[in-house]
Amino acid sequence: MRDIRLLTQMFIPGQLIGPFAQANPGLGAVCTFVGEVRGEAYVEALELTHYEPLTLAGMHDLADRALGRFNLMGLLMVHRIGVLVAGEPIVCVSAAAAHRRDAIDAVDFCMDHLKSAAWFWKRERRSDGWHWIEPRAQDHTDLKRWD
Amino acid sequence: MRDIRLLTQMFIPGQLIGPFAQANPGLGAVCTFVGEVRGEAYVEALELTHYEPLTLAGMHDLADRALGRFNLMGLLMVHRIGVLVAGEPIVCVSAAAAHRRDAIDAVDFCMDHLKSAAWFWKRERRSDGWHWIEPRAQDHTDLKRWD
Amino acid sequence: MAVRVVFLGPLADLVGADEMELPAPLDWPALLAGIPPAVAEQLTNARVHVACAGRVVADKAALRAVDGDEVALLPPVSGG
Amino acid sequence: MAVRVVFLGPLADLVGADEMELPAPLDWPALLAGIPPAVAEQLTNARVHVACAGRVVADKAALRAVDGDEVALLPPVSGG
């Protein structure tokens, strides 16, 4: 089962993951990553903007690469856009496979590429207004692991 | 939040993971692995035996090492023992952290060590009776990654 | 006869608008000349990409946008 | 005055029992002599471990079990 989505509203990861795992009968391993808006005292809200003509296509392209690289039975990749507050999930990636190595590595691969290569820009609202979040060096290091 | 358990009865991972994620407010990343009994046509049931004086202590020791090695806010590690059928979860490891690298690596680390170093023996019932499952070479390779 | 130029992320703040129109056809020198100088300067950064008609352009200098195309200016995406 | 010897996993099948008692104190030669030969042979494999009183013994040959101790014979654990 392949389920790739951009969501504009708050979602509850468990409500996606339960049906996803059930939709892949015979699996041996499911690895799931959920990224949430961190509760930093100075951050009032986080806004994710994207460039629609590229984003979903980019997520499907990434899913194709993950499905080609790892031996998967299913892949779920969901990303929020819009304004989020602390504790809200931003991203959920879940991979179902016969064996754990494929499930874990596929989630790791998708997260490294989603965060560093997908077309999302984030800004956070602090008491003095909106601030764009810069790319992080760590993300580039993470990406190099897969070359 | 630290939650290390051996369970003798069927469990539903979502019922553990939801409360676990909620018990770690302010987190940024949760990675969860669930291993299930694979649906192989010739396997009627799987039995996990353990050596009680070592098993739970070993899981706690592994949790200590994971918590010492990665920057975690919480760690959940649950393992089934007893007789299981296809589709039942055997193991669930979930790590909550501020950043995704710690959460993913902690789950990967715990799974490699749980499966290869913990004191569990598995046998499967086929039409002609019970068969012990041998150690796999892949598990030893996986463990070496952390040396 | 126009090309819609879209400013993404922090670039929209630099311009003070999400988009503008420029005459078609539009090549790389015309794009740089037509957009605000602060954004044109950003575009010389290799990590700022350009998409045309829904595809990221491999070589920005080879941009050839025709009437009706949307050209998107894509700054580096955010981390963590 | 006894030491309980516990056979785990496939070793229990070799013996046809989960455990047996041997006289205390029990050292390595006495253990090897007291258990069925098929299991004694398995114990010479470096990947078969021995626990005494709830702890895995680092050097099997240095085993010293006293009255009331439980000695567990641990074959290699199962893979994925």
Side-chain angles (χ1 to χ4, degrees):
Chain A
M1 186 205 188
R2 175 189 175 122
D3 187 357
I4 313 295
R5 281 188 263 176
L6 278 167
L7 298 179
T8 56
Q9 300 292 324
M10 162 106 174
F11 69 99
I12 297 171
Q15 292 181 354
L16 300 175
I17 299 160
F20 171 72
Q22 303 239 316
N24 293 286
L27 60 83
V30 184
C31 186
T32 304
F33 179 87
V34 176
E36 297 187 359
V37 180
R38 269 191 291 282
E40 309 269 22
Y42 60 88
V43 178
E44 300 169 354
L46 182 77
E47 187 190 41
L48 262 103
T49 55
H50 74 135
Y51 181 54
E52 196 166 354
L54 293 183
T55 321
L56 194 60
M59 287 170 67
H60 274 288
D61 176 62
L62 176 54
D64 288 341
R65 283 189 286 153
L67 289 162
R69 184 169 185 142
F70 306 102
N71 202 349
L72 302 181
M73 302 173 75
L75 183 63
L76 169 85
M77 196 187 301
V78 171
H79 211 291
R80 265 296 304 278
I81 50 175
V83 176
L84 298 87
V85 297
E88 272 190 71
I90 304 178
V91 58
C92 176
V93 173
S94 190
H99 300 284
R100 77 173 187 284
R101 188 81 273 130
D102 287 305
I104 294 174
D105 287 350
V107 167
D108 202 5
F109 176 87
C110 287
M111 283 307 305
D112 277 354
H113 287 80
L114 247 186
K115 289 214 164 192
S116 301
W119 300 100
F120 296 110
W121 297 272
K122 293 180 195 168
R123 56 179 188 165
E124 52 192 28
R125 195 176 65 219
R126 305 176 195 153
S127 57
D128 63 344
W130 287 99
H131 296 262
W132 289 101
I133 300 176
E134 298 292 320
R136 286 193 312 149
Q138 174 71 39
D139 293 328
H140 296 282
T141 311
D142 286 345
L143 267 186
K144 286 230 164 31
R145 300 188 303 147
W146 304 101
D147 290 345
Chain B
M1 186 206 190
R2 175 189 175 121
D3 188 356
I4 314 295
R5 282 188 263 176
L6 279 167
L7 298 179
T8 55
Q9 299 293 325
M10 161 106 175
F11 70 99
I12 297 171
Q15 291 181 355
L16 300 174
I17 298 160
F20 170 73
Q22 302 239 316
N24 294 286
L27 59 83
V30 184
C31 185
T32 304
F33 179 87
V34 176
E36 297 186 359
V37 181
R38 270 190 291 282
E40 309 269 22
Y42 60 88
V43 178
E44 300 169 354
L46 182 77
E47 187 191 40
L48 264 102
T49 56
H50 73 135
Y51 180 54
E52 195 165 356
L54 292 183
T55 320
L56 194 60
M59 287 171 68
H60 274 288
D61 175 63
L62 176 55
D64 288 342
R65 283 189 285 154
L67 289 161
R69 183 167 185 143
F70 306 102
N71 203 349
L72 302 181
M73 303 174 76
L75 183 62
L76 170 84
M77 197 187 300
V78 171
H79 211 292
R80 264 299 302 280
I81 49 174
V83 176
L84 297 88
V85 297
E88 273 191 70
I90 304 179
V91 58
C92 176
V93 173
S94 189
H99 300 284
R100 78 174 187 282
R101 189 81 272 127
D102 286 304
I104 295 173
D105 287 350
V107 167
D108 203 4
F109 176 87
C110 287
M111 283 307 305
D112 277 355
H113 287 80
L114 248 186
K115 289 215 164 192
S116 301
W119 300 100
F120 295 110
W121 297 273
K122 294 180 196 167
R123 56 179 188 166
E124 53 191 29
R125 195 175 67 218
R126 304 176 196 153
S127 57
D128 61 345
W130 288 99
H131 296 261
W132 290 101
I133 300 176
E134 298 293 320
R136 285 193 312 148
Q138 175 71 39
D139 293 328
H140 296 281
T141 311
D142 286 345
L143 268 186
K144 286 229 164 38
R145 300 188 304 148
W146 304 101
D147 289 343
Chain C
M1 305 297 109
V3 170
R4 189 153 72 133
V5 179
V6 183
F7 306 102
L8 275 303
L11 295 183
D13 285 0
L14 270 183
V15 179
D18 290 338
E19 55 180 79
M20 66 183 290
E21 291 209 341
L22 287 176
L26 184 76
D27 62 8
W28 179 241
L31 174 67
L32 291 180
I35 58 179
V39 180
E41 190 183 320
Q42 292 286 316
L43 273 193
T44 60
N45 180 341
R47 294 181 60 206
V48 175
H49 289 88
V50 173
C52 180
R55 294 187 172 275
V56 178
V57 174
D59 174 11
K60 290 185 282 195
L63 175 73
R64 294 279 182 281
V66 298
D67 181 39
D69 277 351
E70 182 169 292
V71 169
L73 311 187
L74 312 160
V77 294
S78 301
Chain D
M1 302 302 106
V3 170
R4 188 153 70 135
V5 179
V6 183
F7 306 103
L8 275 301
L11 295 184
D13 285 359
L14 270 183
V15 181
D18 290 338
E19 55 179 80
M20 67 182 290
E21 291 208 341
L22 288 177
L26 184 76
D27 62 7
W28 180 241
L31 175 66
L32 292 180
I35 57 178
V39 180
E41 190 183 319
Q42 291 286 316
L43 273 194
T44 60
N45 181 340
R47 293 181 62 205
V48 176
H49 290 88
V50 172
C52 180
R55 292 186 172 276
V56 179
V57 175
D59 175 10
K60 290 185 282 194
L63 175 74
R64 294 280 181 281
V66 299
D67 180 40
D69 277 352
E70 182 168 292
V71 169
L73 310 187
L74 312 160
V77 296
S78 302

